[in-house]
Amino acid sequence: MSTTNAQDAVVIGGGFYGAAIAVYLAKQRGMKQVTLIERESSLLSRASYNNQARVHNGYHYPRSYTTAYRSRINLPKFVLDWPEAVKQDFTKLYAIARRNSKVTANQFERFYREIGAKIELASPALRALFEPRLIEEVFLVEEYAFDSTKLAQWALRELQESAVNVRLQTQAIDICQGADQSLNVILAPHGKEKELINSRYVFNCTYSGLNQFGGDFPGTRTGLKQEITEMALMQMPPALNDLGITVMDGPFFSIMPFPARNLHTVSHVRYTPHMHWTDEPGTNPYQKLDKYPRDTRVDRMIRDIGRYLPSVLDSNYADSLFEVKTILTKNEGDDGRPILFEKHESLPGCYSILGGKIDNIYDVLEKLETENLSRSDDTLSEHAK
């Protein structure tokens, strides 16, 4: 087994969160030796790509004040920091179902006016798209989509400028206690012998793979639920092509622009989740996904959505994105999406981090700002005193 030079930090997981945290550690915390580990052949190619591509502004979460409010605060920051990746040139509508909704139109409107989010009644022309017997009200809101391929371009550029060592097609398999308050990470590069990399800090940003490590890694204290999900990619008819639509909150489906493919994603609360299980070490979610047959449920999605939004029946199916979605078990009841930020007491310097939405990155960075993270040169200067 070969050994790599000691690092200030190893970030495991090359999705948006892992890349953003690696850049933050190098630029904001002055760490000179940062390595980013990604098992795939490119960055932001798994959950960061295979999702709804929504930059939330809180409207999705009328039953979780904290998630809704944090989204409203984070959205303008995200637009400011990643303008080239944000698609704003479409009309976003939220509609409230008359039956089986967990919020009424009045509750929905009042909630978002209270938190300062933009909301107004949709025009008669837009309301005419919906079946009035099933839809109570339609609101015009402010919400955007993101292009994950442009975020990946940003990540590559920033990581290079920050001198972060990016290791693709490399899997981290063990995290162990090292000497002198350090951590050892065992790597398995594709087609090569294993390596040992020693680091002061390890940031586990592997999303669905948070608990898939051996060695001394204790697992997360927070319970996680895994789902195999399907996002259908569709070509919308002209009446819907410049729209994003979400129907709340029970029937619950969404049609959102997907800028990376110039299509729309279609998701449905009943048909998007194909199967689920409680996350635990030894049950590899990626292997479950690899073995899953991936039979599309798009016909059932469109058939049900068409009852509320008849013109969707003229859409054309292009493809499906299948991925493992990871959520905190404790938030199943209110649909909240707080971050997971755990410091592992038995492995000092090791953190596990998960975000349910792309704009949660600011919540993670705020937590990191409160951490007393030392660099290798800080340690050397301490020893010199």
Side-chain angles (χ1 to χ4, degrees):
M1 186 186 304
S2 61
T3 303
T4 305
N5 291 337
Q7 299 290 295
D8 291 320
V10 171
V11 181
I12 308 173
F16 177 68
Y17 275 62
I21 289 170
V23 170
Y24 164 82
L25 294 173
K27 282 194 164 184
Q28 267 65 54
R29 303 307 288 264
M31 295 189 181
K32 296 179 174 60
Q33 301 291 330
V34 178
T35 293
L36 176 64
I37 308 296
E38 170 53 46
R39 61 188 291 163
E40 304 295 335
S41 59
S42 59
L43 300 176
L44 277 71
S45 59
R46 291 298 302 260
S48 295
Y49 180 89
N50 297 321
N51 65 74
Q52 210 170 49
R54 185 195 306 260
V55 186
H56 283 273
N57 201 9
Y59 304 103
H60 227 55
Y61 305 103
R63 292 181 287 122
S64 176
Y65 178 88
T66 301
T67 301
Y69 183 75
R70 290 300 302 177
S71 292
R72 194 189 72 73
I73 296 299
N74 290 336
L75 177 133
K77 298 179 186 177
F78 192 92
V79 173
L80 184 65
D81 288 338
W82 288 280
E84 71 281 1
V86 177
K87 178 180 175 61
Q88 303 183 42
D89 59 344
F90 66 99
T91 299
K92 187 63 215 287
L93 304 174
Y94 271 74
I96 309 301
R98 287 192 183 277
R99 295 190 291 273
N100 301 320
S101 178
K102 296 174 183 176
V103 295
T104 67
N106 285 338
Q107 289 170 337
F108 187 81
E109 183 177 17
R110 184 169 61 250
F111 180 84
Y112 289 103
R113 291 197 187 283
E114 285 176 355
I115 68 170
K118 291 183 67 174
I119 184 169
E120 60 184 85
L121 293 178
S123 68
L126 291 172
R127 294 168 73 182
L129 293 169
F130 298 85
E131 170 53 63
R133 291 173 299 178
L134 297 179
I135 295 296
E136 179 187 1
E137 191 54 270
V138 182
F139 296 100
L140 179 67
V141 302
E142 186 177 70
E143 196 172 65
Y144 306 135
F146 66 87
D147 186 333
S148 59
T149 61
K150 293 183 178 179
L151 287 177
Q153 293 168 8
W154 165 85
L156 286 169
R157 183 175 65 250
E158 289 292 314
L159 290 164
Q160 185 175 19
E161 290 179 3
S162 305
V164 173
N165 179 29
V166 178
R167 298 286 305 274
L168 300 175
Q169 292 190 291
T170 301
Q171 185 176 354
I173 56 176
D174 293 334
I175 305 174
C176 305
Q177 187 71 62
D180 299 325
Q181 292 187 317
S182 68
L183 297 164
N184 291 329
V185 182
I186 307 300
L187 306 180
H190 181 69
K192 300 178 182 178
E193 68 169 333
K194 293 180 182 178
E195 299 177 27
L196 184 150
I197 184 168
N198 180 265
S199 181
R200 176 66 187 90
Y201 300 102
V202 173
F203 296 89
N204 171 20
C205 304
T206 53
Y207 192 62
S208 298
L210 284 180
N211 287 317
Q212 302 304 311
F213 296 98
D216 299 322
F217 185 73
T220 61
R221 298 185 304 274
T222 304
L224 303 176
K225 177 184 176 182
Q226 307 281 22
E227 296 179 342
I228 291 180
T229 61
E230 176 189 7
M231 289 284 169
L233 291 176
M234 310 285 292
Q235 181 68 58
M236 287 293 127
L240 303 178
N241 198 45
D242 294 322
L243 299 178
I245 294 170
T246 299
V247 168
M248 301 286 283
D249 177 19
F252 218 133
F253 64 81
S254 281
I255 299 170
M256 281 291 293
F258 190 76
R261 295 276 297 271
N262 199 27
L263 295 166
H264 280 66
T265 57
V266 174
S267 59
H268 190 291
V269 69
R270 189 179 305 125
Y271 301 119
T272 287
H274 279 232
M275 64 178 293
H276 63 86
W277 65 96
T278 300
D279 186 60
E280 56 185 21
T283 302
N284 190 317
Y286 303 112
Q287 290 179 357
K288 275 185 172 283
L289 179 61
D290 289 343
K291 294 177 181 178
Y292 191 71
R294 305 191 186 201
D295 297 326
T296 182
R297 295 177 177 176
V298 67
D299 288 346
R300 281 176 277 182
M301 292 187 200
I302 296 300
R303 190 182 307 121
D304 189 55
I305 293 171
R307 297 189 300 120
Y308 298 85
L309 191 68
S311 53
V312 80
L313 298 173
D314 295 324
S315 61
N316 293 308
Y317 175 66
D319 197 4
S320 285
L321 305 175
F322 282 88
E323 190 53 272
V324 181
K325 178 181 178 180
T326 304
I327 58 177
L328 308 187
T329 305
K330 65 183 180 180
N331 291 109
E332 284 189 274
D334 65 2
D335 289 331
R337 292 293 180 267
I339 62 169
L340 179 150
F341 188 95
E342 285 194 11
K343 300 164 64 173
H344 298 289
E345 295 178 2
S346 61
L347 276 179
C350 183
Y351 298 76
S352 288
I353 297 170
L354 178 143
K357 305 180 289 84
I358 199 162
D359 54 277
N360 278 149
I361 188 61
Y362 296 103
D363 301 338
V364 172
L365 297 181
E366 284 182 16
K367 292 286 288 185
L368 287 172
E369 279 292 309
T370 66
E371 294 296 308
N372 183 23
L373 304 176
S374 61
R375 301 169 300 185
S376 56
D377 52 349
D378 293 336
T379 305
L380 288 172
S381 62
E382 284 295 320
H383 286 305
K385 289 180 181 178

